[in-house]
Amino acid sequence: MMNFKTTCPYCGVGCGIEITRTGSVLKLTGDKDSPVNQGMLCIKGQTLLETVGTDNMRLINPSLGSWNKAIKAIAKAFESTPKHQIALYLSGQMLMEDFYVAKQFSEAYGIDNIESNSRLCMYSTVEANKRAYGADIVPVSFDDIYQAQTIFIIGSNTADCHPIVFNHIKKSKAFVVCVDVYESTTAKKSDLFIQVEPGKDMDIINNLPHQFWFKEKKVLSVYSQGLTQSTDATDKVNALINAHIITGNINKPGCGVLSLTGQCNAMGGREIGIRTNDLTATEFFSNNQIKTLWVMATNPAHSMINYRQFETLIVSDFTRTLTTDDADIVLPACSWSEKIGHIKNSERRYLKQNAFLPPAGYSKPDWEIICLLAKELGLDGFDYQSADDIWQQMHIDESWQPRIKVKEELVDIKVTNRTDNDSINNVRLLTQWHSMSRTGKSKTLNKMTKVSNEVISMHHVTNSELFKNKTVELDKYSKQPCFKG
Ligand code: SF4
């Protein structure tokens, strides 16, 4: 019998997992020693073993027949495209080591257009943190959930989207207030639900210092995309931080503002600085500058509403998706169960993913694929032998503390007209993950999946068709997109 510890690859909670192998039989349980989840797992984590291995969608060979041919063809496409017309589009599912090598490659080759799909959810928080604290600091942690007297949830269906965080919230003794535009699962399970009209959440935030459950209690505010996908997103996050500063609900145990990161390593991408010097991810698709696009571990044909065709589309992924079906060159990447490396969760902890299965077919980890291309293009410094080699070079200080002291200066906010009542917001289902490329492999999850009447399911629908006449607007500080129409 052998035991392996690893980390769930889905959301930014970062739950610890224990895998036991007896002969060829694998068993998966929550890691009781994990400080993040203490043995708890949501249904997506519990069913992860149903998604590993090789099914008929799994990519095991480069589409051009061999790695040699594929890498040579990509090098040719890169060399024949002006550098400002090349883009790398990465994903918060990639590991720290993958991000590090991707960034190193973009700098060595001179590619300004490098973005992560975290652009769609995280960047207004990054800008708001920089305005408020002077740097992208997350000052609180899950530890504060148990110290808070009030937990104020806004724009987050935590119960469905970050279920283990919500388990912690329900286990705490805190009074739970939920603000949302519809009665989500979280709203139903909260002590107080405040239903807000779309675009009017700033009024609620501005009024927080007058609410007794806010001004007279130790308050932890929790939010995600409901707050951050709008044209005033950065201002809204800053208004929330301002409310904490005004009431003294900051820099004390149980007090502060916690953004829940969507993907397992969205925080890691932020830290490494995966960020464009030219076009944003949305603009890769909404204007015609980019001719050669390399997509890694994400499925924009499903999720990017202005998805378009490119002269050369290269996609690395572990499984077939709408995007790999559209690609000129497809590269088979290792899956979660075959990868070694680190992620950084919503509360800034570095957590390890460990492989417990060999790479399927000829698949390779993302960092290794990038190194192959870098060497083909004649770049130096890409001779890594393992993920550990890369981690050593990154010199990361892994020490962790539950809270970080931040400065307490109000940010001036001038929001006048807000007309978000026609904006479209994304929700996540408890039993599925993003475009379902992994969770769709689980019979249990598929059987359990129900869509409530308040949401429209867009799974397996090509978004470019559905959103043909809609517009994308950007938050003015972060350029985070907001979809209207
Ligand atoms: S809460 Fe998130 S990290 Fe934890 S098991 Fe569920 S999907 Fe995985």
Side-chain angles (χ1 to χ4, degrees):
M1 193 167 94
M2 287 179 81
N3 282 342
F4 304 82
K5 289 201 175 186
T6 186
T7 307
C8 177
Y10 292 121
C11 82
V13 180
C15 294
I17 281 174
E18 193 157 352
I19 306 278
T20 314
R21 181 201 290 273
T22 315
S24 60
V25 179
L26 295 173
K27 192 175 157 221
L28 180 150
T29 51
D31 178 6
K32 291 192 173 59
D33 298 330
S34 161
V36 173
N37 55 314
Q38 293 124 27
M40 297 183 284
L41 289 177
C42 79
I43 190 65
K44 289 191 290 292
Q46 288 169 36
T47 51
L48 265 165
L49 287 184
E50 294 180 30
T51 71
V52 304
T54 314
D55 60 16
N56 57 7
M57 297 285 278
R58 182 65 205 263
L59 299 169
I60 52 175
N61 279 306
S63 61
L64 298 188
S66 72
W67 277 107
N68 193 27
K69 274 191 196 158
I71 295 298
K72 281 197 166 14
I74 299 169
K76 207 169 150 200
F78 271 54
E79 283 165 342
S80 60
T81 311
K83 287 179 181 165
H84 72 284
Q85 294 179 0
I86 301 174
L88 307 182
Y89 186 41
L90 318 182
S91 154
Q93 301 286 295
M94 292 169 74
L95 307 183
M96 298 296 288
E97 291 81 351
D98 300 321
F99 277 143
Y100 181 79
V101 173
K103 181 144 192 260
Q104 187 189 354
F105 169 68
S106 71
E107 287 169 356
Y109 194 65
I111 297 172
D112 282 338
N113 288 298
I114 175 171
E115 284 266 276
S116 157
N117 57 7
S118 302
R119 159 69 62 189
L120 309 181
C121 49
M122 298 257 46
Y123 284 58
S124 43
T125 293
V126 173
E127 287 311 306
N129 287 348
K130 283 186 191 164
R131 291 204 300 175
Y133 311 136
D136 181 19
I137 297 168
V138 178
V140 291
S141 69
F142 301 160
D143 188 61
D144 289 290
I145 293 170
Y146 290 95
Q147 317 260 355
Q149 293 169 309
T150 295
I151 294 180
F152 176 68
I153 303 174
I154 182 162
S156 163
N157 184 3
T158 323
D160 286 351
C161 304
H162 298 87
I164 297 306
V165 163
F166 198 68
N167 282 5
H168 284 306
I169 289 173
K170 291 311 285 180
K171 280 166 80 179
S172 78
K173 301 258 182 310
F175 181 71
V176 182
V177 182
C178 172
V179 176
D180 214 323
V181 292
Y182 76 110
E183 196 181 16
S184 64
T185 316
T186 307
K188 289 187 180 108
K189 294 182 176 177
S190 293
D191 299 301
L192 174 63
F193 170 45
I194 304 170
Q195 189 158 11
V196 63
E197 279 178 46
K200 300 291 177 205
D201 40 5
M202 192 68 117
D203 297 342
I204 305 247
I205 295 169
N206 286 339
N207 198 31
L208 285 175
H210 307 294
Q211 299 293 337
F212 77 93
W213 44 258
F214 197 95
K215 66 176 177 187
E216 285 163 25
K217 304 286 177 188
K218 291 195 286 175
V219 185
L220 179 71
S221 290
V222 174
Y223 71 91
S224 57
Q225 273 81 293
L227 199 65
T228 59
Q229 283 180 333
S230 76
T231 46
D232 297 323
T234 304
D235 277 331
K236 285 177 186 176
V237 177
N238 279 123
L240 186 57
I241 297 170
N242 280 354
H244 278 260
I245 295 171
I246 290 164
T247 54
N249 260 310
I250 196 162
N251 287 326
K252 294 177 206 150
C255 299
V257 177
L258 174 67
S259 68
L260 293 175
T261 47
Q263 300 184 82
C264 62
N265 199 27
M267 187 69 81
R270 267 159 72 170
E271 175 178 293
I272 288 181
I274 301 297
R275 194 152 188 174
T276 186
N277 288 319
D278 187 3
L279 304 178
T280 63
T282 328
E283 291 163 328
F284 292 174
F285 295 87
S286 66
N287 77 34
N288 288 323
Q289 178 179 319
I290 302 301
K291 307 291 183 212
T292 295
L293 178 71
W294 185 0
V295 175
M296 301 180 208
T298 185
N299 187 7
H302 188 119
S303 55
M304 190 63 87
I305 70 166
N306 45 10
Y307 183 77
R308 70 168 173 95
Q309 307 296 308
F310 295 86
E311 280 176 18
T312 308
L313 176 65
I314 304 145
V315 183
S316 323
D317 213 324
F318 84 105
T319 191
R320 268 185 63 191
T321 64
L322 288 178
T323 314
T324 63
D325 285 354
D326 204 25
D328 299 289
I329 302 170
V330 179
L331 304 170
C334 284
S335 177
W336 161 73
S337 51
E338 304 151 12
K339 289 190 78 170
I340 296 172
H342 293 79
I343 60 167
K344 193 172 191 187
N345 77 348
S346 296
E347 55 165 358
R348 312 169 259 99
R349 285 183 198 266
Y350 291 105
L351 303 164
K352 186 94 193 282
Q353 280 193 5
N354 284 308
F356 55 93
L357 290 173
Y362 291 99
S363 64
K364 292 181 186 295
D366 291 289
W367 64 262
E368 196 177 325
I369 302 173
I370 300 164
C371 287
L372 285 178
L373 179 64
K375 285 193 265 190
E376 184 66 30
L377 291 168
L379 303 176
D380 291 329
F382 293 88
D383 293 315
Y384 303 110
Q385 298 302 307
S386 66
D388 193 48
D389 234 9
I390 304 165
W391 186 247
Q392 296 306 327
Q393 175 154 329
M394 290 168 76
H395 299 297
I396 285 198
D397 174 6
E398 289 182 68
S399 59
W400 181 85
Q401 45 188 319
R403 51 198 70 84
I404 299 170
K405 196 163 170 39
V406 284
K407 63 177 186 174
E408 299 181 24
E409 282 170 28
L410 297 176
V411 171
D412 193 21
I413 295 164
K414 292 188 192 77
V415 176
T416 47
N417 291 321
R418 293 185 298 283
T419 52
D420 283 353
N421 55 353
D422 59 351
S423 67
I424 298 160
N425 212 337
N426 300 317
V427 296
R428 184 182 285 165
L429 303 176
L430 173 68
T431 54
Q432 294 291 344
W433 176 259
H434 290 190
S435 67
M436 297 170 63
S437 51
R438 188 192 307 280
T439 47
K441 296 177 189 292
S442 161
K443 285 195 180 112
T444 309
L445 293 179
N446 289 341
K447 237 189 264 168
M448 289 175 69
T449 300
K450 290 191 198 97
V451 179
S452 81
N453 295 333
E454 286 101 341
V455 301
I456 302 167
S457 171
M458 294 189 294
H459 296 299
H460 304 307
V461 175
T462 305
N463 283 322
S464 51
E465 199 43 45
L466 193 66
F467 287 103
K468 217 190 261 163
N469 301 316
K470 315 296 187 229
T471 55
V472 177
E473 293 190 20
L474 303 178
D475 171 54
K476 55 183 172 293
Y477 298 105
S478 64
K479 291 197 176 178
Q480 187 164 316
C482 163
F483 307 137
K484 296 233 171 184

